[in-house]
Amino acid sequence: INAEYMGMAKSLLLKTHVDEGLPGPEHFEVVEIPVPELGESGILLVQLLVLSPDPFLRGRIKPQFGAPLGKPITGFVAGKVLESRVPSWQKGDLFGASLPFTTIQVITEADLKQTFMWKLSGIIDESQISLGVGVLGMPGSTAYGGLIDVLRPQKGEVIFVSAASGAVGGLVGQIAKKVFDCKVIGSAGGEEKCRLLKEKLGYDFAIDYKKVKDANELAKEIKAASADGIDMYFENVGGMHLDASLATMKHGGRVALCGFISSYNESGSVVAHLDVRQLIYNAVRLEGFIATPWLSGKKGSFLKDMSGWWKEGLLQVQETFFDGIEQWPLAFQSLFTGANTGKVVVRV
């Protein structure tokens, strides 16, 4: 193997499953392993430059859905190709992918068939690699698909976004406002995040959910921003946010069910109480989705469109950085404590 890669790689392993509560550093372990060689079956040797802590990984840490103990956690990453045996990838190519959290690793042909790996070379340079786990990665494709294909916004419609300053919500609001010319209402926790929504991300109204005690109060805040109610709701949180959005939904309203972070640290299933009569007579559509069709390119033109909007300056990127694979557990915690703004990124 090339001398420049000699030394040790690092892997982030799951030590114990956590059913309830907030996972912490004690549930994970970083181990050093020798840098692997391509060997006979390897087609790519890659180096991870950034790792992504994402809320959906909370489910993988629960015993009933659990990732295997003592093995590297698999999640979204971005990095560069160190060696290639296939014409579709060149040495130095930048990529986004879903891969085990091992800083240098071999990818086989079988691995490639079972995962996502998308090329970022020609769109960004190495100094911008964090965008591969954000606006040009899973969060970006989630915002893109959920807004464009699930909610299908029309000019002048009103959208309400929960977790509006987060990695997904921040992009949903900006695309709705700057590309589709919608009226945009966002919910976030605290005055600083609400200020960010209006001053940097272009939201028309910002609601500080920490100042409301229940769904009725939140519904009043939504009505204060839009007396006629809302046409669309992009759901990231669950709980009172879903209740308040349905209570203020116009006839023909749409809900994109993306996440329910308020319940991720609880055990058991998440239960919502729906007024079915109201949904029927208001002709409201609720649709769940995940990023896969848009991230894989089977639907839409995610990479082309998002990179274009970003390069045009339509999208402001907000990131919170942690340095070192050892910091991943703390970075993951920040998703649930509200200590993050925008996309949380771990630089390796």
Side-chain angles (χ1 to χ4, degrees), residues 79-249:
K80 66 179 176 180
V81 174
L82 299 179
E83 300 288 350
S84 173
R85 287 180 176 160
V86 286
S88 53
W89 290 95
Q90 306 297 315
K91 181 177 178 177
D93 273 350
L94 302 176
F95 65 85
S98 174
L99 289 172
F101 287 166
T102 299
T103 55
I104 299 178
Q105 60 186 279
V106 169
I107 296 175
T108 65
E109 201 164 341
D111 294 333
L112 263 189
K113 286 177 181 170
Q114 291 177 357
T115 191
F116 294 113
M117 195 165 170
W118 58 99
K119 196 169 289 191
L120 296 171
S121 297
I123 301 175
I124 58 172
D125 61 38
E126 194 171 324
S127 71
Q128 300 162 321
I129 195 66
S130 61
L131 300 180
V133 295
V135 64
L136 302 179
M138 184 275 291
S141 61
T142 303
Y144 178 92
L147 179 63
I148 293 172
D149 283 342
V150 177
L151 293 179
R152 304 169 202 161
Q154 301 296 315
K155 182 176 179 178
E157 287 190 318
V158 182
I159 183 171
F160 176 50
V161 183
S162 56
S165 68
V168 174
L171 294 172
V172 171
Q174 291 184 84
I175 299 167
K177 184 69 187 171
K178 296 168 186 175
V179 178
F180 291 96
D181 198 16
C182 293
K183 181 176 177 179
V184 184
I185 306 166
S187 165
E191 290 180 10
E192 189 178 338
K193 287 185 179 179
C194 286
R195 197 160 48 244
L196 171 85
L197 292 185
K198 295 182 73 173
E199 293 177 2
K200 286 200 173 174
L201 304 187
Y203 276 74
D204 296 295
F205 296 92
I207 298 169
D208 183 352
Y209 73 81
K210 291 185 176 179
K211 291 184 176 176
V212 300
K213 68 174 186 287
D214 56 26
N216 289 333
E217 285 194 6
L218 183 55
K220 285 179 186 173
E221 292 290 331
I222 295 170
K223 285 279 196 175
S226 178
D228 295 335
I230 59 176
D231 299 286
M232 299 169 283
Y233 173 49
F234 198 103
E235 167 69 299
N236 290 310
V237 173
M240 71 174 179
H241 281 81
L242 180 59
D243 295 342
S245 70
L246 292 175
T248 54
M249 190 71 64

Side-chain angles (χ1 to χ4, degrees), residues 49-54 77-78 120 124-140 164-168 170-171 174 192-193 196 200-201 310 315-323 331 334-335 338-347:
L49 300 173
V50 291
L51 311 176
S52 184
D54 291 301
V77 302
L120 296 171
I124 58 172
D125 61 38
E126 194 171 324
S127 71
Q128 300 162 321
I129 195 66
S130 61
L131 300 180
V133 295
V135 64
L136 302 179
M138 184 275 291
S165 68
V168 174
L171 294 172
Q174 291 184 84
E192 189 178 338
K193 287 185 179 179
L196 171 85
K200 286 200 173 174
L201 304 187
W310 170 67
L315 303 179
Q316 298 293 315
V317 174
Q318 305 292 319
E319 295 172 308
T320 300
F321 289 105
F322 290 76
D323 287 306
S334 76
L335 300 172
N340 66 307
T341 300
K343 180 71 192 92
V344 178
V345 180
V346 176
R347 293 183 285 217

